[in-house]
Structures are given as C-alpha cells and as structure tokens.
Amino acid sequence: MERQAVVTAGTGGIGLETALGLAERGYAVTVIGRDEDRGLQAVDRISAVATGSRPRFIAADLSSLGAVRGLALDLAALGPLTVLVNNVGAMFAQRQRTVDGIEASFAVNHLSPYLLTELLLDQLRAGGPSRVVNVSSGAVKVAKRTFAAVEPPGGYYGFHWYGRAKLANLAYTLDLAERLRGSGVSVFAADPGGAATSMTNGTMASPTIVSPGLRLLWPLVRRRFERSTAGPAAEAARSSVFAATDPSLDGRTGLLIGPEARPVPVPPASTDPRLTADVLRLSREHAGRWTLA
C-alpha cells in the first residue's frame, strides 16, 4: 500500500521542507495551502526529490472551519493515510476574527488542526501504523494558561496569544495520544525551535506583540526564534520529519520531539488535567461536529 502523507501549510517555509523530507523518503505527499501559484511551485520542487508518487496540492483556507471540513472530505477520498503533519500556524500583530467569528490565533493554531485530525481519524486508522504530527512552539512557555473562554482576559499581545493557542494544541495532542494508544495511530508534537521564516521576519519584528514587561528583553527573546545558518527552515523541519518517519519511534506515542530531533520533556502546563479539560470543551464547542457526512 502506498504511504500517503499530508502536510498543511506545506507550500513554503518549514511545511515545504517537511514535505520535501517526506517525499525523499518515498511518501506520496499532498501539500495544503491557500495560494494556487505557490502550491504548484511547491509541487514542482517536491517532484524533483520525490522517490514515490507525484505530489499533489489542494487549496484550502485553514482559518475557515468550513474549509477544513471540505478539505477533510477531499483527503478522505484519497484513501488510507499514513502521516498527517499539522504544520499550519500564524501569529497576528492585531486581534483578528475568522469568517466563523472566532479569534484568529486560536482558530488557526489549534481549532483547525484539531478538527482536521478528528475528521481524518478513520483514514489514519486504516493507514496504520500511522502518525499524527502537530507542530508546536517554544512560545508555549510564555502563554496564558487560562482557557475558560477562547479569548483570555486582558490586552491582546500576538506572541502570547500564539503561545496560548499552541499550548492548547499541545495539551490536545497529548490527550489524543492517550485516547488512541493501541489503535495503530501514534501522535507526536514537534518543536521546530527558532527559524527565520516569514513569520519571524514579519510579525515578530515588532515588540508590540509582547506584553510591556517583556519588551525590553524582546530582542534577546526573538533571537531564540531565528537562525543565521543557510536554509533555516530546512533545519527547523528536522523535528517534524523525525516525528513523522523515524523508525526509533515505532510503537511509541505522546512525545514532544525537540529541535535536535529527539524527545524532550513536555511543559508541565500541557499535562494539567484541568487545562486539558477546558481546551477539549472549547474545541468541541467551537469546532462542532466531527463526522464527514
């Protein structure tokens, strides 16, 4: 059976490098993105290194939960799935809402991968042994940890809200790993570490995305999220590719793979039962049904 892999936000940056790594290892890769031109360019690049079937591109705006459901239907039609890499992520300088009326950082960084994963569980079980890889971030360490509502109280600071959404997704990832233990579907989080991507070079350039207390230190903090080596996105993709493919992880689940492509301790907040329960409640309330019908 051909090994099918899906990479969201796979037309550039870390997502594209992840897709290249999977294609080199023989996976039939489908990349998801919003822009048709970038998608076709990505397919050309991936085709040049692919050792399996020709890659595909599917256009979808993953900030829309309706689009996520439509994408899941398209992906389900491809048959059993071996690897799902939820790489989609975004940081916003100002508070924004999606077409569903949901705060954008929480919607893109958590609800979108949450819903897509839940909708594709049957395909992942059918493709087992299979893996889900949710891309995390070191920003979870500065995240607000209250999840009584989608939007926390207080002012909007993009970096902290991004970290909070990534913390929600990490808590979900670890809970999902336990829920699926023994099913043939392994679940991992991957922290790419710092990377000089369009996000770090754009949104993160402004100190106003962090709370006032962190602004004086922001140049130092930001440096941890950037690299000066050639091909920074390729280096940052190591953790995702390792989590998706490395044989040493066969039969294992519920691990956080760090930037050096090895398991690292998870932040304690991500295993707090009360935090996880609140995240799951919000996820069900706002993402709605899980069925493809």
Side-chain angles (χ1 to χ4, degrees):
M1 182 176 68
E2 187 173 51
R3 296 177 300 170
Q4 299 277 353
V6 171
V7 182
T8 65
T11 62
I14 296 171
L16 176 57
E17 295 294 342
T18 301
L20 290 166
L22 293 172
E24 287 175 335
R25 290 162 175 77
Y27 289 82
V29 178
T30 300
V31 292
I32 314 302
R34 290 181 299 175
D35 187 275
E36 189 84 26
D37 289 338
R38 290 188 68 190
L40 295 177
Q41 291 170 19
V43 165
D44 286 343
R45 281 196 59 188
I46 298 165
S47 296
V49 302
T51 58
S53 296
R54 179 172 172 79
R56 303 180 184 89
F57 167 71
I58 298 178
D61 179 359
L62 296 180
S63 69
S64 162
L65 296 179
V68 172
R69 294 188 181 93
L71 171 63
L73 283 170
D74 291 339
L75 293 173
L78 300 179
L81 181 59
T82 310
V83 170
L84 171 62
V85 180
N86 287 306
N87 173 71
V88 67
M91 188 187 304
F92 303 94
Q94 288 86 35
R95 188 193 310 261
Q96 297 186 32
R97 296 190 185 279
T98 67
V99 294
D100 302 297
I102 303 170
E103 190 277 316
S105 189
F106 194 81
V108 174
N109 295 293
H110 171 59
L111 290 180
S112 169
Y114 161 83
L115 180 59
L116 185 63
T117 302
E118 295 291 342
L119 291 172
L120 292 176
L121 286 183
D122 285 346
Q123 283 66 41
L124 287 158
R125 291 188 183 99
S130 58
R131 299 184 186 185
V132 176
V133 179
N134 288 332
V135 177
S136 190
S137 170
V140 300
K141 296 173 183 176
V142 296
K144 286 190 175 183
R145 299 174 184 179
T146 57
F147 289 93
V150 165
E151 299 187 51
Y156 178 87
Y157 304 107
F159 184 69
H160 299 285
W161 285 44
Y162 168 78
R164 180 177 178 271
K166 286 293 189 181
L167 174 59
N169 195 249
L170 180 56
Y172 162 68
T173 300
L174 300 176
D175 181 82
L176 180 67
E178 291 305 311
R179 174 154 57 102
L180 297 181
R181 189 177 290 276
S183 70
V185 184
S186 295
V187 184
F188 303 103
D191 179 2
T197 65
S198 58
M199 185 170 71
T200 59
N201 293 333
T203 304
M204 287 183 72
S206 171
T208 61
I209 66 168
V210 295
S211 57
L214 190 57
R215 287 177 190 172
L216 290 177
L217 298 174
W218 183 236
L220 296 175
V221 174
R222 187 185 171 208
R223 253 179 239 138
R224 296 184 62 189
F225 288 83
E226 296 175 338
R227 296 198 182 167
S228 58
T229 56
E235 185 177 349
R238 289 175 57 204
S239 58
S240 295
V241 174
F242 180 89
T245 66
D246 198 271
S248 69
L249 298 179
D250 288 349
R252 305 177 74 182
T253 194
L255 300 176
L256 172 61
I257 307 302
E260 302 303 320
R262 61 173 179 261
V264 297
V266 299
S270 64
T271 59
D272 182 331
R274 291 172 298 179
L275 184 151
T276 300
D278 282 344
V279 166
L280 295 177
R281 173 184 54 78
L282 286 176
S283 303
R284 296 186 189 107
E285 287 176 0
H286 292 277
R289 59 184 172 83
W290 291 348
T291 61
L292 287 172

